[in-house]
Amino acid sequence: MVGYGTNKGIVPIACDEIFKRIDEVRRGPDASKYQFQVTIQMLEIYNEQVRDLFAKDNPSGGLKVRMNPKTGVEVVGLSEWPVASYAEIDERIETATKNRTVAATQMNATSSRAHTVVTICYTQLEIDAKGPGKHSEKKAKMNLVDLAGSERAESTGATGDRLKEGAAINLSLTMLGNVITALAEKSNNPKKNVLVPYRESKLTTILQDALGGNAKTIMICALSPADINYDETLSTLRYADRAKQIKNKPKVNMDPTEALIQQLKAENERLKAQVGGVAPAEGGPMSEEEKEAIRKQLEEEMQAKLLENQRMIDEMNKSWEQKLQEAQARAAEEGGPSEGGGGSRSAEAQRRATEPHLLNIHEDPLLSRAVCHFLAVGKTRFGSRSQPDGEEVLLGGPSVKPNHCYIMNEEGGGELKISAREGCKVLVNGAEASSAGLPLKHNDRLFIGSNYCFVLVHPSQSAAGPPEGGEWPEVDWDFANREMAKAQGLSVDVNWSTLSEEERRRALLNDELIQVMPRVAEANDISKEMGRGVTFETKILPVLAKKKGNTGSGTPTSGMTSAVMVRVFDAARDLEWFWGKNKFVNRVYLMRELFEKFEEAGRALEPPPEDQDPFWDPNEPVCVSHCSVHLKPLSYCLQVEDDFALYRDVHQDGVLHVKLEPCRPDGSPVLETDDSSPYDEIEDPKDLVGRRLDVLVSIPQARGVNTKYDKEVFVRFHLPQVDGGGDGGEEDDDGFFQTEVIKGTSNPDFKYVKQVTWMRVNEELLQTFLEGAAIFQVNLMGWSDITGATSSIFGAAYLVLVQLGI
């Protein structure tokens, strides 16, 4: 919507077009007949909280949205900026991006996780249209809305996690969809009484007039050409099709400003008469103190309403020239060294060309290099926004302490040195900065705390050129994190074209580690500052996964592979478990929100309920050992039976007896003494294609299960493309089968028998039998009474048992 750099988005293009058309009128013969006024507002909705993007500070909990009987839906306290040219709109949007970046780095979301609404109000005055001194006024309001992406849980890896950071995003989009559906139904059936649920979310409340009022609405949908996003693309097209059915009939707005001013004045006179003579409502007996409290509350409410009405009257009585002058004065005054201000954009650009400064680097490219901190001669100190101590630059978020560090700018030569207070995290080009002072040069990368990454811009050094005739590297979020990972010993310089398949797999694991490590550090800092006693650590563990067949057919088979996991250790419960990468990243966003509330509450926030706590996980089954059973004999309709070794990591941990034998459709076994069987004609695996296959799965017992895990155990397994079968044991919704739970023995007798049926064997299933294996997993119910025993557990709580053999 906004775009990147010279690649402008819809918002700047639309704003530019407005002023181009205004200029055309001003150059035409009717230039003296018309005057034009344009104002802009910009807000962001994240987790049902409304933030004014033109304001550096927003109230806790966000701005209030209410219905004003005179002016319609309004966001209380949302600033409105008069603008005289597209350049001023562009400057306002840049300011909004800076404010959004500060909030995002302080624990808010990236731009893709929030809804953004840009409102352009256009007013056209026709001079003396109703006689001398009486102007005709027409108004139009344009809402440019950038909706956050609605991510499907299966695509993001959040499936199975009880806490989903995107829930509020998806909720508001769902409510918007419900509103669109209701409006479409109302358009198609004008006589039907349809309730439109505008007030179900902040987004739909704010857009009420734009969707179903005196408005024309256009929806632009972004689609993915990838087949993996087929479901999302189809869902988006259906969403747009519903919006297309809405039929509004917009009319020209003749704004009744004078009438509204008179109404407000009359209401103010009425309120003034009531203030001082307020009587409490009738009811039961009340003490004098209670009466006085009610009287005082009513007087305060009336006084607030009186002041708000007077503000609106004063604002309406101002001339357009006054409003423009005030807005330009505010723009010149806002900002400062700590926020990269110093006045207008042109003044800041001049300073950037001559003075050393820091530019922020953010994981969202739209928010990178938006905030500038100038490094004045002398000390520029960095400290905590929640505990300020006179520092020039205040940063929010975890692990930023008072007087965290400072940069010394020597007078004359402009030499820069950074010094960090003991125990404060500062990295320069991936290496830790010492307290004695570390020299800085142009294009150096700085990490301050866990959340803040900057690149140093030193104009005089940049003009002198890079060292040894090279080029200054392009610094982005990925570059800075790779550099930090390299300093910690990870290999980041990879020539992909020369790597084997196994080496590529390891390099991809390395890349995942690089992505996860900064968030692990951030999660540890949040936990430490909130006193939660939970620590996080990256691990590479063997997990179950789908693999391509060895024959090159592309048919997936199952097997063990390595994956990046995050070890979670809860010191209070003396327990540990593992989270997958996607689940951990989801939890980090929730930890950020919780930490923001913690700071707003003065660092005295009570822990949330367990079902809303991102640090907590309930007792759930965990895989403790596994075995592989190859399925090739089934392709020849032969049975498989053996004691299969159970493995935990690479260590054997008992045996599991498994038997797979073809059977008749009624479940009876096929005996060698039988005169005939359903599989007599199967001489080659290809003969099985197109035929029915029934198999009895038997798991009589396990022996030698580790005594640490003998409390409550069961076996879980999966076979591909199963159409049905008889009774025996339990079957999950996702197609996994499991035995009953056996308690209190290291030699459990499961006595499990299950008939599974393939009504028609296809080529893919046959290939799976020939190449694949079924994984049988021994699972432990819960964590009770196994304190200290989980450090060597294979897998993790919540680790989804991947379908193997398909």
Side-chain angles (χ1 to χ4, degrees):
M1 287 292 288
V2 175
Y4 298 86
T6 56
N7 185 19
K8 294 181 180 179
I10 294 172
V11 173
I13 289 174
C15 296
D16 191 23
E17 184 64 26
I18 290 173
F19 283 99
K20 281 181 180 178
R21 297 194 182 190
I22 290 175
D23 290 340
E24 286 178 7
V25 176
R26 285 174 175 168
R27 290 193 298 267
D30 298 330
S32 60
K33 290 177 58 179
Y34 296 101
Q35 287 184 1
F36 304 94
Q37 301 172 4
V38 180
T39 61
I40 182 172
Q41 295 176 316
M42 194 168 179
L43 61 86
E44 178 182 73
I45 305 172
Y46 175 69
N47 257 5
E48 286 300 284
Q49 292 188 5
V50 180
R51 296 182 61 252
D52 183 357
L53 290 180
F54 290 156
K56 292 180 182 177
D57 299 309
N58 280 267
S60 175
L63 302 177
K64 304 297 182 185
V65 180
R66 70 182 184 187
M67 178 64 71
N68 188 311
K70 299 181 182 64
T71 59
V73 178
E74 66 176 8
V75 180
V76 181
L78 181 64
S79 55
E80 184 175 38
W81 283 76
V83 287
S85 65
Y86 167 70
E88 290 186 20
I89 285 186
D90 196 28
E91 191 168 337
R92 285 292 92 214
I93 291 176
E94 186 174 317
T95 300
T97 303
K98 289 180 182 179
N99 293 334
R100 169 190 248 177
T101 305
V102 172
T105 314
Q106 272 182 248
M107 303 281 83
N108 216 317
T110 58
S111 59
S112 63
R113 293 173 176 265
H115 309 296
T116 306
V117 182
V118 180
T119 302
I120 308 292
C121 188
Y122 169 85
T123 305
Q124 175 184 293
L125 280 80
E126 187 175 354
I127 308 300
D128 299 334
K130 300 179 180 179
K134 296 182 179 180
H135 311 319
S136 173
E137 185 177 290
K138 298 177 183 178
K139 271 196 172 184
K141 186 180 286 187
M142 180 166 60
N143 291 299
L144 301 171
V145 187
D146 185 5
L147 297 176
S150 175
E151 297 174 335
R152 302 176 80 90
E154 310 91 69
S155 302
T156 60
T159 303
D161 193 358
R162 61 192 169 82
L163 297 174
K164 294 183 179 64
E165 184 269 344
I169 294 174
N170 290 340
L171 172 66
S172 58
L173 289 174
T174 300
M175 292 302 106
L176 178 60
N178 292 342
V179 167
I180 289 173
T181 300
L183 288 171
E185 186 176 355
K186 195 173 183 179
S187 297
N188 296 329
N189 302 282
K191 296 182 179 180
K192 187 175 180 180
N193 186 17
V194 179
L195 177 65
V196 183
Y198 288 117
R199 299 192 183 187
E200 295 297 323
S201 73
K202 296 284 179 64
L203 178 67
T204 52
T205 303
I206 291 171
L207 297 181
Q208 178 172 341
D209 293 335
L211 290 170
N214 186 24
K216 186 174 184 178
T217 305
I218 299 170
M219 177 178 284
I220 300 175
C221 297
L223 305 177
S224 168
D227 59 355
I228 194 173
N229 299 122
Y230 174 82
D231 290 336
E232 288 87 340
T233 298
L234 192 61
S235 175
T236 303
L237 288 173
R238 287 179 181 143
Y239 201 92
D241 184 62
R242 281 187 291 172
K244 187 179 178 181
Q245 297 175 36
I246 301 174
K247 298 178 179 65
N248 290 337
K249 296 179 180 179
K251 300 176 182 178
V252 175
N253 285 329
M254 310 297 288
D255 190 58
T257 304
E258 290 299 324
L260 183 58
I261 290 176
Q262 294 304 319
Q263 290 177 16
L264 289 171
K265 285 182 177 179
E267 184 177 11
N268 270 12
E269 292 302 322
R270 181 174 56 81
L271 289 171
K272 286 177 182 177
Q274 290 181 358
V275 171
V278 176
E282 295 182 4
M286 300 174 65
S287 65
E288 289 301 319
E289 291 81 4
E290 290 174 328
K291 292 179 181 179
E292 183 62 28
I294 292 177
R295 183 179 290 107
K296 186 176 180 180
Q297 180 183 350
L298 291 174
E299 285 184 358
E300 289 176 353
E301 290 175 359
M302 289 181 183
Q303 193 67 35
K305 182 66 176 174
L306 189 67
L307 293 173
E308 176 66 16
N309 285 349
Q310 189 60 49
R311 184 194 66 78
M312 293 175 66
I313 293 171
D314 294 342
E315 194 68 25
M316 289 178 182
N317 283 328
K318 287 180 184 176
S319 69
W320 175 247
E321 288 72 18
Q322 282 180 296
K323 293 178 181 179
L324 267 180
Q325 289 173 2
E326 289 178 4
Q328 290 166 356
R330 273 192 294 163
E333 291 174 1
E334 76 174 10
S338 65
E339 299 297 343
S344 67
R345 184 168 57 175
S346 58
E348 180 180 318
Q350 291 175 2
R351 293 186 67 187
R352 287 194 186 195
T354 57
E355 299 179 27
H357 54 275
L358 296 177
L359 295 177
N360 76 299
I361 302 297
H362 197 277
E363 60 183 313
D364 185 345
L366 181 64
L367 305 183
S368 278
R369 299 176 183 263
V371 175
C372 174
H373 301 296
F374 289 102
L375 303 175
V377 173
K379 280 186 180 181
T380 300
R381 296 170 300 159
F382 295 76
S384 171
R385 189 182 299 273
S386 61
Q387 303 173 63
D389 191 21
E391 299 91 346
E392 287 74 23
V393 180
L394 297 176
L395 307 175
S399 75
V400 178
K401 302 177 181 178
N403 287 307
H404 192 94
C405 64
Y406 67 87
I407 295 178
M408 175 63 73
N409 185 359
E410 299 290 346
E411 191 170 2
E415 183 180 349
L416 302 174
K417 290 184 178 180
I418 186 169
S419 299
R421 189 162 64 87
E422 186 176 355
C424 295
K425 179 182 178 181
V426 176
L427 302 178
V428 178
N429 299 334
E432 190 172 345
S434 64
S435 57
L438 184 68
L440 298 176
K441 60 182 183 298
H442 176 71
N443 221 44
D444 277 351
R445 284 71 61 194
L446 279 68
F447 273 93
I448 300 177
S450 300
N451 286 40
Y452 290 89
C453 178
F454 299 99
V455 60
L456 173 65
V457 179
H458 201 308
S460 60
Q461 293 181 4
S462 175
E468 301 177 2
E471 294 183 356
W472 300 112
E474 182 65 30
V475 179
D476 58 14
W477 181 260
D478 184 60
F479 179 92
N481 278 286
R482 284 179 174 277
E483 184 176 56
M484 183 170 60
K486 185 176 181 180
Q488 296 178 11
L490 288 178
S491 175
V492 298
D493 300 320
V494 177
N495 184 357
W496 290 89
S497 61
T498 62
L499 299 183
S500 65
E501 186 175 345
E502 178 62 22
E503 289 171 333
R504 285 176 181 244
R505 188 184 62 79
R506 292 178 183 174
L508 287 171
L509 275 177
N510 218 40
D511 276 357
E512 289 192 19
L513 272 177
I514 292 170
Q515 295 170 22
V516 170
M517 285 170 59
R519 287 187 169 94
V520 167
E522 181 184 352
N524 279 321
D525 289 334
I526 293 174
S527 175
K528 182 178 179 181
E529 295 209 19
M530 295 186 68
R532 298 304 303 270
V534 180
T535 57
F536 304 88
E537 179 185 4
T538 52
K539 293 282 188 181
I540 294 181
L541 294 176
V543 296
L544 303 178
K546 297 177 183 178
K547 297 181 178 180
K548 287 186 177 180
N550 296 328
T551 63
S553 65
T555 303
T557 60
S558 57
M560 304 304 298
T561 188
S562 298
V564 174
M565 307 287 288
V566 176
R567 172 185 177 267
V568 187
F569 178 68
D570 187 341
R573 295 190 289 168
D574 194 23
L575 297 175
E576 74 170 16
W577 59 93
F578 290 87
W579 284 341
K581 185 192 74 171
N582 290 323
K583 177 175 179 178
F584 171 71
V585 170
N586 180 54
R587 290 300 180 91
V588 170
Y589 279 107
L590 294 165
M591 292 175 197
R592 290 176 180 177
E593 293 176 29
L594 187 63
F595 186 82
E596 188 174 12
K597 295 176 183 177
F598 174 72
E599 294 235 289
E600 289 174 354
R603 294 181 164 251
L605 184 70
E606 289 292 324
E610 287 183 338
D611 62 345
Q612 301 174 22
D613 189 353
F615 292 95
W616 180 81
D617 252 347
N619 291 347
E620 293 210 351
V622 60
C623 174
V624 294
S625 58
H626 70 283
C627 67
S628 300
V629 179
H630 290 278
L631 304 176
K632 190 172 184 178
L634 292 183
S635 63
Y636 292 91
C637 297
L638 299 176
Q639 74 175 28
V640 182
E641 183 176 14
D642 204 347
D643 286 325
F644 294 91
L646 292 168
Y647 286 94
R648 174 172 45 86
D649 293 339
V650 294
H651 308 290
Q652 185 172 344
D653 197 16
V655 294
L656 180 70
H657 192 93
V658 177
K659 181 180 180 181
L660 307 177
E661 59 175 332
C663 67
R664 301 179 186 276
D666 61 1
S668 60
V670 178
L671 305 176
E672 293 183 2
T673 56
D674 292 345
D675 294 333
S676 63
S677 79
Y679 312 112
D680 287 341
E681 299 176 6
I682 306 300
E683 297 181 358
D684 185 271
K686 293 181 180 180
D687 297 335
L688 198 57
V689 175
R691 300 177 65 100
R692 171 174 173 152
L693 176 63
D694 295 272
V695 173
L696 280 180
V697 181
S698 303
I699 308 175
Q701 76 272 333
R703 294 293 181 260
V705 176
N706 195 309
T707 54
K708 295 177 183 177
Y709 317 125
D710 64 359
K711 306 304 176 186
E712 297 183 2
V713 296
F714 63 92
V715 175
R716 202 164 185 237
F717 67 95
H718 184 276
L719 291 171
Q721 302 184 24
V722 173
D723 296 309
D727 297 331
E730 299 178 5
E731 181 180 356
D732 294 346
D733 292 337
D734 56 4
F736 283 92
F737 300 93
Q738 74 176 54
T739 66
E740 293 181 358
V741 176
I742 305 298
K743 302 179 181 180
T745 176
S746 59
N747 299 307
D749 291 320
F750 297 109
K751 301 178 181 177
Y752 175 87
V753 177
K754 176 74 175 181
Q755 178 187 349
V756 295
T757 300
W758 292 275
M759 299 302 295
R760 187 180 180 86
V761 176
N762 55 35
E763 293 281 356
E764 182 182 352
L765 180 61
L766 180 61
Q767 199 69 30
T768 300
F769 287 162
L770 292 170
E771 298 178 348
I775 305 298
F776 289 73
Q777 298 183 318
V778 176
N779 293 266
L780 176 70
M781 284 296 295
W783 296 96
S784 57
D785 301 326
I786 59 166
T787 300
T790 57
S791 60
S792 59
I793 287 180
F794 161 76
Y798 289 112
L799 178 60
V800 177
L801 309 183
V802 179
Q803 303 179 25
L804 296 182
I806 60 170

